[in-house]
Amino acid sequence: MAAKHLGWAAVLLLGMVSTAQAADAHFVADAVTVNGHRHAFQVFVPRDWSADRAWPVVLFLHGSGERGNDNQVPLKQGLPLWLKEHGDDFPAVVVVPQAPVDTVWSGEVEQAAMAALDKSIHAYHGDRLRLYLNGLSMGGYGVWQILADHPGMFAAGAVICGGVRALDDMPELKVYGIPAHVDPYAWVAGRVKSTPVWIFNGSVDDQVPPAESHAMNQALTHSGDEVRYTEFPGVGHASWGPAYATPELWPWLFSHRRSSQG
């Protein structure tokens, strides 16, 4: 798939389209209501955003340490923090939902993340053929969950220290909906289908064992899907640092697009 060379032109004011002046990259707070509950999220708006063209959109899912209802902590870790330091030329809108305390990226929380994505696509002129998914730790589990629940929706995904099966110290963290008595990794791979995925993990991660990433890489490779796997020697759980420092990550991700709305 050919890479797209993405440039940009003017700006937005809190979701209202305006081409009067240019603006720096910035975050905008927003919220959606799902099942009567308010779910806050942030949107990273690229420099010189304009409605003159359609924009790629990344949905980012944070880890367990960023859960809450302040709509601020998710900006202090992972992709949002990286964007604050390196996002001047980042060519995509990024949606950053926040999961409440004691929840994971499934059920209503997953629905709220998807609602935030949909609202942002409308508000920021997002391109539905260029939707991307990224998450770390609990958010890495969330990437597999959303890819399994919405097959074919995303052009590509990046999973950082994620997994499929429950952890001993966090049994609620798993991919939900997997039928009993099946290989869970093969089942998720079958749902992911042709969505290209790049998997990252630290070799000495003692929180989400790299065996989870090994199993998903093997399952996707066996199914013939496009998958990359990068393991960082001597790196523990915080593999998102070297993952985001991988120069090829964003060019690879944005080189993919869905062929149609179907």
Side-chain angles (χ1 to χ4, degrees):
M1 301 182 187
K4 300 296 177 183
H5 298 285
L6 304 170
W8 45 104
V11 71
L12 127 108
L13 293 176
L14 297 178
M16 300 297 293
V17 174
S18 170
T19 57
Q21 62 182 29
D24 293 334
H26 59 286
F27 284 90
V28 177
D30 206 339
V32 291
T33 300
V34 177
N35 299 330
H37 302 136
R38 183 181 185 273
H39 293 265
F41 65 95
Q42 295 273 354
V43 181
F44 173 83
V45 183
R47 186 182 66 175
D48 298 348
W49 178 94
S50 170
D52 293 343
R53 64 178 181 84
W55 289 78
V57 182
V58 178
L59 176 61
F60 170 75
L61 306 178
H62 63 69
S64 60
E66 290 72 63
R67 292 178 292 184
N69 59 8
D70 66 343
N71 204 20
Q72 291 298 316
V73 176
L75 301 182
K76 299 177 181 179
Q77 186 66 274
L79 179 55
L81 180 60
W82 183 89
L83 288 169
K84 287 183 177 182
E85 299 174 354
H86 306 284
D88 284 348
D89 296 318
F90 197 74
V93 172
V94 181
V95 183
V96 187
Q98 184 176 28
V101 173
D102 296 329
T103 67
V104 296
W105 295 108
S106 64
E108 182 179 305
V109 180
E110 178 186 357
Q111 295 171 32
M114 299 305 292
L117 174 62
D118 189 64
K119 184 176 183 180
S120 301
I121 291 170
H122 286 285
Y124 299 97
H125 205 58
D127 185 349
R128 291 187 182 274
L129 298 183
R130 291 185 292 164
L131 302 181
Y132 306 94
L133 192 54
N134 171 228
L136 60 87
S137 193
M138 185 183 89
Y141 277 79
V143 171
W144 294 126
Q145 182 75 64
I146 289 178
L147 289 178
D149 290 343
H150 302 271
M153 179 176 179
F154 292 88
V159 181
I160 304 174
C161 55
V164 169
R165 299 184 67 177
L167 301 174
D168 290 341
D169 61 347
M170 197 174 178
E172 71 276 15
L173 183 58
K174 62 182 179 179
V175 173
Y176 288 78
I178 300 176
H181 310 300
V182 302
D183 180 335
Y185 307 103
W187 185 87
V188 172
R191 298 287 294 174
V192 170
K193 294 184 177 179
S194 59
T195 304
V197 180
W198 194 337
I199 303 169
F200 298 88
N201 226 116
S203 68
V204 292
D205 191 334
D206 60 355
Q207 296 187 45
V208 180
E212 287 292 308
S213 291
H214 296 166
M216 275 309 306
N217 178 52
Q218 183 177 18
L220 288 167
T221 300
H222 181 75
S223 66
D225 293 336
E226 181 180 352
V227 58
R228 287 190 176 192
Y229 179 66
T230 298
E231 187 166 298
F232 302 109
V235 174
H237 189 53
S239 53
W240 48 88
Y244 292 131
T246 302
E248 300 86 1
L249 172 58
W250 299 113
W252 177 85
L253 203 74
F254 294 140
S255 73
H256 297 89
R257 66 181 294 154
R258 291 174 54 215
S259 59
S260 70
Q261 297 281 7

